[in-house]
Amino acid sequence: MADNLPSEFDVIVIGTGLPESIIAAACSRSGQRVLHVDSRSYYGGNWASFSFSGLLSWLREYQENSDIVNESPAWQEQILENEEAIALSKKDKTIQHVQVFCYASQDFHDDVEEVGALQKNHASVTSANSTEAADSACLPTEDESLSSVSCEMPTGPTPSSDLEHILEVNDADETGDKENHCDDKICVSSTSEGATSENVPTAEDIAEQPRKKRITYSQIIKEGRRFNIDLVSKVLYSRGLLIDLLIKSNVSRYAEFKNITRILAFREGRVEQVPCSRADVFNSKQLTMVEKRMLMKFLNFCMEFEEHLDEYKAYEEITFSEYLKTQKLTPNLQYFVLHSIAMTSETASSTIDGLKATKHFLHCLGRYGNTPFLFPLYGQGELPQCFCRMCAVFGGIYCLRHSVQCLVVDKESGKCKAIIDQFGQRIMSKHFLVEDSYFSENTCSHVQYRQISRAVLITDRSVLQTDSDQQISILTVPAEEPGTSAVRVIELCSSTMTCMKGTYLVHLTCTSSKTAREDLEPVVQKLFTPYTEMETENEEIEKPRLLWALYFNMRDSSDVNRNSYNDLPSNVYVCSGPDCGLGNDNAVKQAETLFQQICPNEDFCPPPPNPEDIILDGDSLQPGTSDSSAVPEANSEIPKETTNLGKAEEPSE
């Protein structure tokens, strides 16, 4: 199908990240003919989620991608005299300094093939002490390319299986029965003990946990499809722009969410839970009665601080951290408010920024749970796919593994008129949206990018154990050195459908000052203990064991001005990749701004029409009597394909 595409569209979108997917859905919903292409084999770009073997394959693709040599392009022959071309890049340079560490032991009696994968010849497992084992545990060696991949062995014995075999394992989607309740058309899964998901431990499992076997690397491989590992770590504010858009557009029926169950703080070397709501504050054993009254008084002020200008106007020029010291709050409360509620920088955030962040946090409390945050089941990578589905329902055409060679610009008008794809087909359009990573070095020669430091960890238990092992937590570790950033930690349990039973998936994120490993490893060492073979069975380990770790840097182009790109036509729009923020507001704002430039008089992602309310032209209701009949037919089929998502529209019993 890809080599027989229509020759003309209204909008061509290159890249399937969250902003591009929202714009594609909005344009398709407003009646535009949309072509949405991506040279990758998966949806989401740097917003994607992968199974464990899929993530290893992604790492290998980046190594292969760094070795691409640009050959003399054949498409140049198609450029006419009155046209010029803007060549697009074949290399994705948004990921750098990749390092992989395996700490879990290798059970030599286990089959290391992923469950559900196609049968393959079994790879031999070498001795942990041999050089072959060290080589097989590592991805291709690091070279001078920015997108190169390196893998280092941690100190001590680290047995592992043959990763070349692992990287060949096929990835596949998985579905499961889920229990949910719905509010405001957002499905939020129940965290009750009766949950039937295979990822959720049963009562017997919980009872047996003290004497359970340690997780081995081969178990992680076998259960690799239980993992859904996000490249970018974010959550959704319950009253944020993305939740509002999901509800307004009815895209929420394509996804389910879980509440973030607790907010944590790291103070004086200990992890402790932060009281957020009124009930939490008064039930807290960490705070004295005086502190509880102080905190409630301050939080009540923050909810309506704009009405009391005289109480904070004199402090507008100082940081929020300095302002808190003037508010009769104990050091304990100042720490909680600054790092776990406002979640702002100790040195860079002004008083107004801090008060706004605190008010937003409090405003989001109680809508869906005891914290302000939601997390999508199966990971952040589900969200771009939800909007892609909406676009397809209204006629959008999708092509993955479909690269674009160049944009064709008309010299006379100065506007882009077409693209030339990998098959040499010229496809015309009025508007072009391009993800930043597709532009070549010539186009981006004056662009200055920031970087995000990321780490993904697999651990054997939570950083703060409680009676329930199904906790989803957010923790902020403050910066210790000047010039560095606080590190945000999001810990996911197996009921989020992002990791196998008996493990936790931990994401660490901060603004880069060095490489990801240099930025984040000190925090990892504070919170976790690497697995070692020398541990005795009866040894009490205070910290969770670290089984596997990945570090990488990701480009942050969210603050790049469009004028920084060289010679872009006015009808070519740039979409940035993920930013370092906790929420998704930047992506939604960007999508709405660009949509209004393309369709200035159209509503942004209105709800789809109810098929029963649509009146077709003429008396005949036969299919094909009018173009509009295609929309309700496609829309009416969606609930049948996603029965669990359709519950968002049903009244609760």
Side-chain angles (χ1 to χ4, degrees):
M1 174 185 162
D3 54 351
N4 292 312
L5 290 170
S7 60
E8 187 173 352
F9 291 86
D10 295 316
V11 180
I12 294 178
V13 183
I14 304 174
T16 52
L18 184 58
E20 302 95 84
S21 299
I22 294 174
I23 296 169
C27 290
S28 183
R29 175 67 184 89
S30 66
Q32 303 291 312
R33 296 168 297 167
V34 177
L35 172 63
H36 202 171
V37 300
D38 200 326
S39 61
R40 303 175 180 93
S41 60
Y42 53 88
Y43 288 96
N46 283 349
W47 302 80
S49 302
F50 296 103
S51 68
F52 188 75
S53 61
L55 182 67
L56 298 178
S57 298
W58 174 79
L59 294 174
R60 184 178 65 179
E61 285 180 11
Y62 263 94
Q63 175 64 18
E64 294 173 351
N65 184 40
S66 67
D67 297 332
I68 292 177
V69 178
N70 283 325
E71 302 174 357
S72 56
W75 50 261
Q76 287 186 349
E77 300 173 1
Q78 299 191 38
I79 305 301
L80 306 179
E81 291 184 3
N82 62 338
E83 297 172 343
E84 59 184 6
I86 299 176
L88 298 185
S89 176
K90 292 183 180 180
K91 295 183 181 181
D92 186 346
K93 298 184 178 180
T94 58
I95 305 296
Q96 304 178 31
H97 309 128
V98 180
Q99 293 179 290
V100 182
F101 298 85
C102 179
Y103 299 93
S105 66
Q106 175 66 55
D107 187 341
F108 296 102
H109 300 289
D110 282 353
D111 180 2
V112 297
E113 186 166 307
E114 183 183 66
V115 173
L118 297 176
Q119 293 297 317
K120 298 179 182 292
N121 294 328
H122 297 297
S124 60
V125 180
T126 56
S127 168
N129 296 324
S130 68
T131 56
E132 288 95 341
D135 291 339
S136 67
C138 295
L139 291 162
T141 56
E142 186 173 10
D143 58 22
E144 295 180 359
S145 169
L146 288 179
S147 60
S148 64
V149 179
S150 71
C151 176
E152 300 181 16
M153 304 297 291
T155 304
T158 311
S160 69
S161 63
D162 186 347
L163 276 193
E164 286 302 316
H165 169 66
I166 296 163
L167 292 174
E168 293 176 0
V169 177
N170 289 334
D171 185 20
D173 293 336
E174 65 168 315
T175 57
D177 295 332
K178 291 166 263 180
E179 186 176 319
N180 61 62
H181 70 269
C182 302
D183 182 24
D184 286 340
K185 296 187 179 181
I186 292 285
C187 288
V188 182
S189 289
S190 170
T191 55
S192 66
E193 294 180 2
T196 58
S197 166
E198 293 183 16
N199 280 30
V200 182
T202 62
E204 294 179 0
D205 295 328
I206 295 173
E208 293 178 359
Q209 278 184 357
R211 57 178 185 274
K212 69 179 181 180
K213 292 183 179 180
R214 291 177 179 173
I215 304 295
T216 63
Y217 187 65
S218 57
Q219 286 177 281
I220 295 174
I221 295 300
K222 287 177 67 176
E223 297 292 326
R225 295 170 68 196
R226 300 290 180 200
F227 289 88
N228 285 287
I229 301 172
D230 295 328
L231 294 185
V232 59
S233 177
K234 291 180 176 290
V235 296
L236 288 79
Y237 281 92
S238 63
R239 297 187 189 274
L241 295 180
L242 185 53
I243 287 290
D244 292 344
L245 181 63
L246 288 166
I247 294 172
K248 173 187 174 183
S249 62
N250 206 18
V251 172
S252 58
R253 61 182 172 164
Y254 299 139
E256 289 187 278
F257 302 86
K258 275 188 110 44
N259 296 307
I260 303 293
T261 56
R262 59 187 184 176
I263 311 295
L264 304 178
F266 184 79
R267 189 159 183 256
E268 297 177 351
R270 292 184 298 109
V271 177
E272 50 192 44
Q273 187 165 347
V274 176
C276 301
S277 64
R278 181 184 296 270
D280 286 344
V281 170
F282 286 106
N283 290 331
S284 174
K285 297 179 181 179
Q286 305 161 243
L287 306 179
T288 65
M289 186 58 66
V290 174
E291 283 182 315
K292 291 177 182 181
R293 290 173 179 166
M294 286 180 180
L295 182 59
M296 286 307 305
K297 181 179 179 181
F298 180 74
L299 295 181
N300 286 332
F301 162 72
C302 290
M303 280 297 293
E304 48 190 31
F305 78 92
E306 291 160 334
E307 300 175 11
H308 304 282
L309 181 63
D310 54 322
E311 294 189 29
Y312 68 88
K313 187 171 180 59
Y315 306 102
E316 286 183 338
E317 301 300 322
I318 63 175
T319 64
F320 187 53
S321 175
E322 293 294 326
Y323 171 74
L324 291 176
K325 295 176 183 178
T326 69
Q327 294 303 297
K328 298 180 181 178
L329 297 174
T330 64
N332 199 29
L333 296 181
Q334 293 176 34
Y335 189 93
F336 284 166
V337 171
L338 180 65
H339 296 295
S340 301
I341 296 179
M343 297 185 185
T344 56
S345 168
E346 191 166 350
T347 57
S349 296
S350 67
T351 298
I352 298 297
D353 292 338
L355 290 173
K356 287 181 178 178
T358 304
K359 179 179 179 178
H360 184 46
F361 181 99
L362 298 172
H363 183 61
C364 294
L365 280 174
R367 186 176 190 183
Y368 298 112
N370 220 24
T371 71
F373 306 112
L374 296 176
F375 182 80
L377 289 187
Y378 300 98
Q380 175 81 20
E382 289 295 295
L383 299 178
Q385 295 185 63
C386 291
F387 286 97
C388 289
R389 181 175 295 183
M390 176 183 173
C391 177
V393 164
F394 288 97
I397 295 178
Y398 279 83
C399 294
L400 296 181
R401 305 182 188 89
H402 197 97
S403 61
V404 176
Q405 304 289 339
C406 70
L407 307 176
V408 181
V409 180
D410 181 70
K411 289 183 178 179
E412 184 177 348
S413 64
K415 290 193 174 184
C416 187
K417 58 192 290 189
I419 63 169
I420 297 177
D421 68 8
Q422 63 190 34
F423 301 104
Q425 181 180 1
R426 177 182 286 238
I427 305 174
M428 312 289 288
S429 182
K430 301 173 185 174
H431 303 279
F432 302 82
L433 289 105
V434 184
E435 182 201 327
D436 169 84
S437 65
Y438 281 88
F439 287 119
S440 66
E441 291 183 0
N442 291 336
T443 305
C444 304
S445 60
H446 296 98
V447 178
Q448 296 292 325
Y449 295 109
R450 293 183 300 186
Q451 296 287 328
I452 303 169
S453 289
R454 290 276 292 114
V456 179
L457 315 176
I458 299 175
T459 66
D460 67 343
R461 60 185 174 90
S462 175
V463 293
L464 182 62
Q465 288 190 297
T466 59
D467 294 338
S468 170
D469 65 347
Q470 294 301 304
Q471 299 280 3
I472 312 171
S473 312
I474 295 182
L475 165 66
T476 302
V477 180
E480 289 190 347
E481 299 178 5
T484 61
S485 301
V487 176
R488 183 175 69 247
V489 181
I490 297 179
E491 182 184 70
L492 305 173
C493 60
S494 59
S495 62
T496 61
M497 317 305 287
T498 59
C499 58
M500 62 180 277
K501 183 174 66 176
T503 65
Y504 286 81
L505 188 66
V506 184
H507 292 275
L508 289 82
T509 308
C510 74
T511 301
S512 298
S513 58
K514 305 173 185 176
T515 67
R517 183 185 174 192
E518 291 172 323
D519 284 336
L520 300 175
E521 194 171 49
V523 175
V524 173
Q525 292 172 347
K526 290 177 183 177
L527 298 175
F528 306 100
T529 300
Y531 173 92
T532 62
E533 288 284 356
M534 302 305 294
E535 294 171 8
T536 62
E537 290 294 327
N538 298 324
E539 185 178 357
E540 289 293 330
I541 304 297
E542 293 184 3
K543 301 176 184 178
R545 291 189 187 89
L546 181 59
L547 305 174
W548 186 86
L550 163 68
Y551 297 92
F552 63 92
N553 289 92
M554 177 183 289
R555 177 193 293 176
D556 179 1
S557 57
S558 59
D559 65 337
V560 175
N561 190 297
R562 187 186 185 282
N563 295 329
S564 300
Y565 300 96
N566 298 329
D567 304 323
L568 283 187
S570 60
N571 62 336
V572 174
Y573 309 91
V574 183
C575 290
S576 68
D579 64 335
C580 198
L582 178 61
N584 297 273
D585 283 4
N586 184 71
V588 178
K589 289 177 181 176
Q590 181 182 179
E592 184 168 11
T593 299
L594 295 179
F595 173 77
Q596 295 299 341
Q597 294 177 29
I598 297 170
C599 306
N601 299 317
E602 296 287 343
D603 189 9
F604 181 58
C605 285
N610 186 333
E612 297 177 359
D613 296 337
I614 296 177
I615 301 175
L616 302 178
D617 293 336
D619 296 328
S620 173
L621 295 180
Q622 295 179 358
T625 55
S626 70
D627 293 338
S628 62
S629 65
V631 172
E633 285 179 25
N635 189 36
S636 62
E637 290 298 324
I638 292 301
K640 295 180 183 177
E641 297 173 0
T642 57
T643 53
N644 61 315
L645 300 174
K647 292 179 182 178
E649 300 173 346
E650 298 174 2
S652 57
E653 295 181 1

